[in-house]
Amino acid sequence: MSMEAEHTTQDQARDMGLSADEFDRICTRLGRIPNLTELGIFSAMWSEHCSYKSSRRWLKTLPTTGDQVIHGPGENAGVVDIGDGMAAVFKIESHNHPSFIEPYQGAATGVGGILRDVFTMGARPVALLNALRFGEADHPLTRHLVSGVVSGVGGYGNCIGIPTIGGETHFDASYNQNILVNAMAVGLARADRIFLSAASGLGNPVIYIGAKTGRDGIHGATMASAEFSEEDMSKRPTVQVGDPLAGKLLMEASLELMASDSVVSIQDMGAAGLTSSSVEMSSKGGMGMEIDLDQVPIREKGMTPYEIMLSESQERMLVVLKPDATERAQAIFDKWDLDFAVIGKVTDTGHLVLTSQDAVVADLPLDPLVNDAPEYDRPYDPPSTPQPADHTSLVQDMALSTALKQMMGSHFLASRRWVYEQYDRHVMADTVIESGGDAALVRVHGTNRGLAVTTDCTQRYVLADPYQGAMQAVAEAYRNITATGAKPLATTNNLNFGNPEKPAIMGQIVGAVKGMGAACSALDVPVVSGNVSLYNETDGNAISPAPVIGMIGVIDDIADTVDIAITDTGLSVYIIGQTAAANDGWLSNSVYAHVIADHDHPDAPPPVDLALEAKHGDLIRHLTKQHLVAAVHDISDGGALVALAEMVMAGQTGADITLSPDQLTHGWAFGEDQGRYLVATSDPTALEAAAAKYGVEIQKIAVTNDRQELKLGDSDIISSTELRGVFEHWLPALMESKPR
């Protein structure tokens, strides 16, 4: 047998996203020039998407351990203990570039990929979320991209039968040419039945399962690690094609296989396909692997070793089986009518060896691919500390109700119902709280335990101050989980940034990771999984940075949970975490500043006090557990009056503000000060006593009414029905409008 004879060049390496220095480094480590297949494998494994070569140094600083953590970063997904012998398995991941090129398939395969990351750990997926960012409303591509992405998310999730119950959708001009599509999945497993990816057992068979390999998605990982340009719009071949029905079969067959006690290790064929799965499994186990590419099931004629190894065709997995389990496993996949092929074996050589037609076509040591992959200490410019906008210059002379209507009808705050009603939120019959409030919540099937889930990030805060903005993203996710009554447990993240080779962008990344780390440590929500998506730029213009936070929490009894809807009249509404002395709220970089004052500047966002966040969260969880509150809502974008409006609209009630006119300022109504909640109670005395016991400042602001109106003053009254019409109008109107 002999190696392929062709040698590659620096120009070929550059076309695959490798620098001249990286090509030289590969040649040095191999002691020779790689052939085309080998260079393709290196280009995928050394891509930003797979190696985290620009961010790894900083990601190591994040808190990743805790009593609740079973498996942190390094596996397909993170795993945390939720009690009663059960574990939650979860992760968030990006599919940004593919979704811009082909929005339906890009979004659909993003959902399919994140689901495989979860069920490959032995967990049954129980919830899907997404974090979407599109360009400004009047951009000619926005309607097309929104329509395609939302259809893709729903098309895959609905067909595979897993509820899509939460997420967020933002619009900003910085995403005009580079949208963000982040998908999150959460699954449940027995804590003592988690499956890992490290290959072991000399001679154990290596099995390919799932769908056949085609030419779709070749070099998808490399594309996701480079800036966009106009020519990239033609890169449809690098976008994978998903099949949710095949995904459903693969999920059920894989879970049955793992239950049969046949599996040694298992890995999703995600980014970089067969390359990443074979390399990572072998490397983690300190082993090697031989693969006969002629045994790989393919659906297109004449596929080369290069194409087979770099394809990112969907619905595929790689498994190392126990030596006596092949026939048992084969029977399972025959039943589910899926491909099952013995394509290789585990070795102890520390090499990945590929053969085709009885010839060795690649022979690569694993260390250079993984452990010796580049890790850059990129130079960075620390972001300057922004100053808050002048408060008095922001305040406009208009009625509170007028400002509220304009804000609620803006792209910042308008209802996303048009999006989430396209998703099946109730399949599996365990959804307790769905989209449209703070966190969503699902029942742990067959129990009274609940799992709360959310995604959060306010990118305008991060753009202005990456450290404070990332802290705020964690804090808001923490509040959203807490608002359901659940205890926040752990975090996954998706770091969406521009080109890290630019010191200003690298400064954003460093600042955000530091802020995220500080918040996750202080709030005891360690980072157990995640994804980095860099080079989100088009023609040199970077996106607004979006370090999206996914968080989960647990509640012991779903009977103790609450949502945002105020459905009863005569309830007292309180702000938790604020007194009358703090009425002049933080308007700098607020929705009010952008919409009402037309002040579109990256001014200082509201500061985050992590100690108060924790203290206020403890009080809220006490109040919900003791059934002292009928509704809870965290105060975030738009401030207290927006939060109150959302609560009465959700419950089809109204509220009379009880503050004096001098207290009821625009700063109080629309300031975005952090660490606060609104709660509605029928027992003010008990609530005030609990707040005093916890040492938390509170303020009574309103009493609910049955008139479906917000009374903001003697002559400033707005019906919640009218407000709901404004709130629900913006997004459907955008999607029904004619292209410009």
Side-chain angles (χ1 to χ4, degrees):
M1 296 191 296
S2 61
M3 288 279 293
E4 288 181 318
E6 83 274 13
H7 289 165
T8 51
T9 66
Q10 279 193 1
D11 287 344
Q12 288 174 302
R14 185 184 61 248
D15 290 342
M16 294 183 190
L18 294 165
S19 69
D21 287 344
E22 288 171 342
F23 180 71
D24 291 343
R25 182 172 176 171
I26 291 168
C27 294
T28 299
R29 291 293 275 115
L30 292 179
R32 58 180 172 82
I33 299 173
N35 64 37
L36 184 65
T37 300
E38 293 172 329
L39 185 63
I41 290 170
F42 266 103
S43 75
M45 294 307 301
W46 283 16
S47 69
E48 196 75 56
H49 194 77
C50 292
S51 74
Y52 303 103
K53 58 190 174 187
S54 297
S55 57
R56 199 156 73 241
R57 177 192 170 196
W58 297 102
L59 295 176
K60 292 175 184 176
T61 68
L62 291 171
T64 59
T65 59
D67 292 342
Q68 69 272 49
V69 177
I70 297 175
H71 291 289
E75 285 298 332
N76 287 290
V79 186
V80 295
D81 189 341
I82 62 169
D84 290 343
M86 296 296 293
V89 180
F90 68 109
K91 187 182 180 184
I92 192 169
E93 197 164 64
S94 62
H95 231 220
N96 301 336
H97 285 25
S99 298
F100 184 74
I101 295 170
E102 217 311 306
Y104 184 94
Q105 290 296 347
T109 53
V111 174
I114 199 64
L115 284 171
R116 290 194 301 278
D117 280 338
V118 167
F119 71 71
T120 194
M121 304 286 292
R124 177 167 291 280
V126 296
L128 286 164
L129 300 89
N130 51 75
L132 312 178
R133 279 158 178 79
F134 300 102
E136 56 195 338
D138 60 358
H139 189 274
L141 288 176
T142 296
R143 290 175 66 255
H144 161 70
L145 293 169
V146 172
S147 177
V149 166
V150 172
S151 294
V153 169
Y156 204 101
N158 295 353
C159 282
I160 203 168
I162 297 163
T164 301
I165 58 172
E168 50 174 359
T169 305
H170 291 273
F171 296 85
D172 184 275
S174 73
Y175 306 115
N176 281 347
Q177 300 291 334
N178 197 132
I179 64 173
L180 303 184
V181 175
N182 296 175
M184 178 176 169
V186 185
L188 292 169
R190 279 175 43 189
D192 61 352
R193 291 285 291 172
I194 303 298
F195 288 82
L196 306 181
S197 57
S200 64
L202 181 63
N204 277 345
V206 176
I207 313 295
Y208 174 115
I209 58 176
K212 289 180 169 59
T213 294
R215 290 189 170 95
D216 52 320
I218 293 175
H219 271 303
T222 305
M223 179 189 71
S225 304
E227 292 184 32
F228 257 171
S229 64
E230 287 298 324
E231 66 184 78
D232 289 309
M233 288 299 290
S234 64
K235 287 188 175 178
R236 289 177 186 267
T238 59
V239 178
Q240 308 93 322
V241 177
D243 181 347
L245 298 179
K248 172 67 172 175
L249 296 176
L250 179 61
M251 179 176 71
E252 298 299 342
S254 298
L255 292 173
E256 184 175 340
L257 177 67
M258 286 182 271
S260 73
D261 200 30
S262 303
V263 173
V264 174
S265 58
I266 183 168
Q267 173 93 350
D268 165 42
M269 288 191 212
L274 185 54
T275 285
S276 63
S277 54
S278 59
V279 168
E280 290 173 5
M281 292 177 80
S282 306
S283 175
K284 288 177 184 176
M287 303 297 286
M289 195 173 284
E290 290 181 6
I291 293 178
D292 181 355
L293 296 179
D294 296 338
Q295 303 307 312
V296 174
I298 59 175
R299 66 168 187 263
E300 299 183 47
K301 293 182 179 179
M303 289 190 70
T304 65
Y306 174 92
E307 292 173 325
I308 292 171
M309 290 303 294
L310 274 299
S311 168
E312 293 185 8
S313 294
Q314 296 293 285
E315 288 84 41
R316 303 178 302 156
M317 312 275 277
L318 196 64
V319 185
V320 174
L321 289 180
K322 293 180 179 179
D324 60 348
T326 304
E327 289 187 9
R328 183 164 67 245
Q330 172 87 62
I332 291 172
F333 279 80
D334 286 347
K335 182 182 80 171
W336 290 100
D337 196 23
L338 290 169
D339 277 293
F340 178 98
V342 181
I343 65 170
K345 64 182 179 180
V346 176
T347 69
D348 60 0
T349 64
H351 279 232
L352 176 67
V353 179
L354 309 176
T355 62
S356 178
Q357 299 179 4
D358 295 323
V360 175
V361 296
D363 185 347
L364 294 173
L366 292 165
D367 269 353
L369 287 167
V370 182
N371 300 325
D372 193 33
E375 180 177 339
Y376 295 124
D377 185 5
R378 302 275 193 201
Y380 67 92
D381 294 335
S384 57
T385 302
Q387 297 301 307
D390 178 61
H391 180 88
T392 56
S393 68
L394 294 177
V395 176
Q396 303 298 298
D397 184 17
M398 67 171 63
L400 286 171
S401 59
T402 303
L404 179 63
K405 276 203 301 185
Q406 289 185 25
M407 290 168 61
M408 297 294 281
S410 73
H411 71 80
F412 290 99
L413 300 178
S415 170
R416 273 38 175 178
R417 185 183 302 276
W418 184 92
V419 172
Y420 64 73
E421 284 197 339
Q422 297 188 49
Y423 307 148
D424 190 334
R425 289 101 66 204
H426 298 283
V427 65
M428 300 180 80
D430 281 317
T431 302
V432 179
I433 301 175
E434 61 173 85
S435 306
D438 289 323
L441 191 139
V442 292
R443 180 200 307 266
V444 176
H445 191 73
T447 75
N448 289 326
R449 189 173 294 271
L451 201 62
V453 293
T454 190
T455 63
D456 285 288
C457 181
T458 306
Q459 67 267 355
R460 68 179 187 277
Y461 289 174
V462 185
L463 178 63
D465 188 332
Y467 183 84
Q468 286 286 337
M471 277 208 305
Q472 189 276 339
V474 175
E476 185 173 347
Y478 176 90
R479 290 196 303 272
N480 283 337
I481 296 290
T482 296
T484 68
K487 177 177 174 54
L489 280 184
T491 299
T492 183
N493 59 44
N494 208 135
L495 307 184
N496 304 277
F497 289 86
N499 184 346
E501 297 169 46
K502 298 177 180 178
I505 300 298
M506 196 65 217
Q508 293 177 343
I509 297 169
V510 173
V513 171
K514 287 182 176 180
M516 184 183 303
C520 289
S521 292
L523 300 174
D524 190 24
V525 283
V527 178
V528 297
S529 61
N531 174 249
V532 171
S533 175
L534 307 184
Y535 295 95
N536 286 290
E537 300 196 3
T538 301
D539 297 328
N541 297 313
I543 61 163
S544 287
V548 174
I549 296 297
M551 192 176 291
I552 69 163
V554 67
I555 188 167
D556 292 336
D557 190 342
I558 58 172
D560 297 335
T561 197
V562 293
D563 61 20
I564 74 167
I566 296 177
T567 57
D568 294 328
T569 62
L571 300 180
S572 296
V573 181
Y574 284 79
I575 287 185
I576 303 295
Q578 179 174 312
T579 67
N583 275 339
D584 207 12
W586 190 280
L587 289 177
S588 175
N589 212 338
S590 64
V591 173
Y592 180 95
H594 286 266
V595 174
I596 304 302
D598 195 24
H599 188 75
D600 190 16
H601 295 277
D603 300 307
V608 177
D609 186 323
L610 296 170
L612 287 180
E613 290 281 2
K615 179 194 272 191
H616 298 169
D618 288 343
L619 171 61
I620 292 295
R621 286 187 294 276
H622 169 78
L623 295 175
T624 56
K625 188 175 181 63
Q626 298 302 316
H627 295 209
L628 293 178
V629 286
V632 179
H633 193 7
D634 96 293
I635 299 174
S636 55
D637 270 6
L641 190 54
V642 166
L644 180 61
E646 290 171 341
M647 295 174 83
V648 298
M649 285 192 299
Q652 299 189 28
T653 54
D656 297 324
I657 300 291
T658 56
L659 300 178
S660 63
D662 63 310
Q663 291 178 303
L664 195 53
T665 65
H666 283 223
W668 175 88
F670 305 118
E672 296 181 6
D673 309 69
Q674 298 295 291
R676 302 179 301 155
Y677 303 79
L678 286 187
V679 300
T681 181
S682 61
D683 193 344
T685 302
L687 185 144
E688 290 175 7
K693 178 181 176 182
Y694 277 78
V696 174
E697 304 284 4
I698 66 172
Q699 179 186 27
K700 182 176 177 180
I701 65 164
V703 175
T704 60
N705 65 50
D706 61 358
R707 303 189 305 276
Q708 290 205 44
E709 65 182 24
L710 279 172
K711 184 177 181 183
L712 309 177
D714 290 340
S715 59
D716 194 8
I717 299 173
I718 181 170
S719 79
S720 47
T721 303
E722 177 187 358
L723 196 58
R724 187 182 299 108
V726 172
F727 180 60
E728 299 285 356
H729 174 75
W730 181 83
L731 190 50
L734 168 66
M735 298 311 296
E736 292 167 8
S737 63
K738 294 180 180 179
R740 301 187 179 204

